[in-house]
Amino acid sequence: SSIWKMLDEFILLAPGGKMCYAGNRNDATAYFKEIGYECPHDTNPAEWFIDLVTIDTDDLEQGTKDIDRINFLHHRFLESCTSLHAGDEQACLDKQQLATNSKDAGTDNRKMFSISRTIQRFGALFQRSLRQNVRNTRVLMLRLGAAVLQAKLFASIFKSVRYDKSLTKSIADRVALLTYGCINLSIMALMKTLDLFAKERGVVLREQMRSSYSSLEYLLAKVFAEMPLDASFALIFASVLKKLTGLRSSMGTLMKTYCLMTISSISLGFAIGSMASTAETAMALGVPVLVILMVVGVINPSGVNTDEAPNRVMEWIKLFSPIKWAIEALVTAEFRGMTFEKDRDFWGNLKELPRMGGLAMVRDGDEVLDALGLGNANYDEIMINLAKLTGTFLMFSWLGLAFGGPKFQQT
């Protein structure tokens, strides 16, 4: 109140740069009373005027009323400028020009992005997203410890995956080891993304209603700030797993595959979170989606029956499973060209055979891939498909951010 009384004149701007008043402070309350918005007796005029040009982004119906009110105030102010006395013609022209310039500036900020302003907005969004991800050091250390401990746990469970021997009985353990790694990293990446992304939804919506930035700028800032950080945990997991097991795949192959799968899972979390209004809704939707994609993505280590016609719906769903593509890439890289060591006698060889029907009599890694339905699979092609899936999820994320929120009619 004390600052308000110190003002001689002020300008009242609404979101989008729409000018609703410019003039003497003492004349403001009378002006708004004349057009139907009288300031209550016990209310600070400054707070009242701010309320008049504020948009409620949490309530669709109220937000629409707020925008209609702002448009009315803006047009009435422009009309008031043209109705001034002839003696005040120059003041009228100055106010009209100021109002027109402010409106044009708001339109330019929404529709025409200069390179410098875009970089500034992106930089601010990137810094905010990065700070939000690294501010909780305790959580980061827990995730780091979880990645290391889980890799050690998997290595201790599947002991037949050894350095010194590639045995036929280790086929199922190799498939399971690679599969559990994919499922583990996918769950961690998706759940974390859903929780954080959905919690930001309300803030982002309010800022976008003020034309602070575009959906694309926000999404790109999230991608560049979060994906490298989350992918680093996948890299650590892959490196520890490689050192503690006898997997044939190179360190680079494991890192690249687990990293890309993690990024794809993050993109899936963006897509789900962008279409959910709250964190609770995102979690309620994300968990069953993850379970479905996990079930359809896991390879049956006992082999596939080529005589049975595949379910078309299931095959279509599989295309959207990052877990499916990652497992197939890792299994293909692991078994392609693999040869099994033989024991010195018949009974030793028989003892080393896997105890499963489809894989019981395989002689090398290529036959394993044939039994698993991956005889014609190519690692590079699978990775390209996984990258395409990631891009698809990011596209859905942008569509959800741009068109999934409440819409307010603007005139």
Side-chain angles (χ1 to χ4, degrees):
S1 298
S2 59
I3 297 177
W4 167 252
K5 294 178 181 179
M6 295 172 61
L7 299 178
D8 295 324
E9 295 182 342
F10 73 97
I11 297 175
L12 184 63
L13 288 177
K18 295 181 178 180
M19 182 174 290
C20 297
Y21 181 79
N24 191 283
R25 173 183 63 85
N26 296 325
D27 298 335
T29 53
Y31 167 78
F32 282 100
K33 178 180 179 181
E34 182 181 347
I35 62 177
Y37 293 93
E38 182 178 2
C39 179
H41 179 67
D42 297 327
T43 302
N44 182 359
E47 295 180 359
W48 171 250
F49 295 143
I50 292 175
D51 288 340
L52 288 179
V53 294
T54 299
I55 299 175
D56 187 346
T57 57
D58 296 326
D59 188 326
L60 176 61
E61 182 178 355
Q62 182 59 45
T64 303
K65 293 179 180 178
D66 292 338
I67 289 181
D68 290 340
R69 180 184 65 249
I70 288 173
N71 289 330
F72 170 77
L73 295 175
H74 175 61
H75 292 308
R76 284 301 301 266
F77 174 72
L78 294 179
E79 293 173 359
S80 68
C81 291
T82 60
S83 62
L84 294 177
H85 296 94
D88 296 328
E89 182 176 353
Q90 185 59 46
C92 170
L93 292 175
D94 292 340
K95 287 187 177 182
Q96 279 186 301
Q97 184 63 40
L98 183 58
T100 302
N101 290 341
S102 65
K103 181 179 179 180
D104 292 341
T107 302
D108 291 341
N109 287 337
R110 292 194 305 271
K111 296 183 178 179
M112 295 182 293
F113 299 98
S114 66
I115 296 178
S116 60
R117 291 296 301 275
T118 300
I119 293 176
Q120 290 176 358
R121 288 193 296 268
F122 174 81
L125 289 168
F126 174 81
Q127 291 179 4
R128 184 176 71 176
S129 181
L130 187 61
R131 285 196 301 267
Q132 190 169 13
N133 279 269
V134 302
R135 68 173 58 174
N136 197 330
T137 307
R138 183 166 176 259
V139 172
L140 293 178
M141 296 305 296
L142 287 174
R143 294 185 65 188
L144 175 61
V148 175
L149 291 177
Q150 286 170 341
K152 290 184 176 181
L153 176 63
F154 294 158
S156 65
I157 293 175
F158 303 105
K159 295 181 179 180
S160 66
V161 184
R162 296 165 51 186
Y163 289 105
D164 54 344
K165 286 187 178 181
S166 296
L167 305 175
T168 52
K169 72 174 185 179
S170 71
I171 294 175
D173 281 357
R174 292 178 185 272
V175 174
L177 176 60
L178 297 171
T179 299
Y180 289 160
C182 290
I183 294 174
N184 164 59
L185 293 176
S186 182
I187 291 175
M188 291 179 62
L190 180 62
M191 291 296 102
K192 174 260 181 184
T193 304
L194 282 177
D195 180 65
L196 189 58
F197 195 72
K199 285 180 178 178
E200 295 178 353
R201 194 75 171 90
V203 176
V204 173
L205 178 61
R206 288 192 293 270
E207 291 175 342
Q208 287 185 319
M209 285 300 300
R210 303 186 186 103
S211 300
S212 300
Y213 49 81
S214 68
S215 300
L216 182 60
E217 290 169 339
Y218 169 72
L219 180 61
L220 290 177
K222 294 283 289 182
V223 167
F224 284 102
E226 295 188 19
M227 285 188 175
L229 178 63
D230 291 342
S232 65
F233 296 108
L235 297 178
I236 294 172
F237 174 84
S239 62
V240 175
L241 190 67
K242 174 62 178 177
K243 289 183 177 297
L244 298 180
T245 63
L247 290 170
R248 289 182 65 251
S249 301
S250 67
M251 180 80 76
T253 298
L254 290 175
M255 285 184 170
K256 180 169 60 175
T257 309
Y258 280 130
C259 181
L260 183 56
M261 188 216 60
T262 299
I263 291 175
S264 185
S265 298
I266 295 171
S267 302
L268 174 60
F270 286 162
I272 297 175
S274 67
M275 300 176 187
S277 57
T278 63
E280 292 76 15
T281 304
M283 287 294 183
L285 180 61
V287 171
V289 168
L290 178 61
V291 171
I292 292 174
L293 297 181
M294 180 177 63
V295 170
V296 301
V298 172
I299 293 179
N300 185 353
S302 63
V304 296
N305 187 353
T306 56
D307 296 331
E308 295 182 1
N311 186 303
R312 293 186 179 275
V313 176
M314 296 295 292
E315 292 298 316
W316 183 82
I317 296 177
K318 286 183 179 180
L319 298 177
F320 293 91
S321 173
I323 297 175
K324 176 256 187 190
W325 292 112
I327 292 176
E328 289 187 359
L330 289 169
V331 170
T332 300
E334 180 70 17
F335 289 104
R336 183 68 70 195
M338 183 180 187
T339 58
F340 300 122
E341 295 187 16
K342 296 183 179 180
D343 211 313
R344 289 175 293 181
D345 55 53
F346 172 80
W347 297 110
N349 288 331
L350 186 62
K351 183 180 177 181
E352 299 298 332
L353 290 177
R355 299 177 178 86
M356 288 174 286
L359 301 176
M361 301 302 294
V362 293
R363 293 170 294 184
D364 54 39
D366 292 334
E367 290 190 2
V368 173
L369 294 178
D370 289 335
L372 296 176
L374 299 174
N376 297 321
N378 179 274
Y379 174 81
D380 292 332
E381 292 180 357
I382 296 174
M383 292 295 286
I384 290 174
N385 290 332
L386 182 56
K388 291 180 179 178
L389 179 62
T390 303
T392 301
F393 287 150
L394 290 176
M395 178 62 69
F396 280 124
S397 303
W398 173 74
L399 293 175
L401 288 171
F403 306 106
K407 301 294 181 295
F408 301 94
Q409 182 180 4
Q410 301 213 26
T411 57

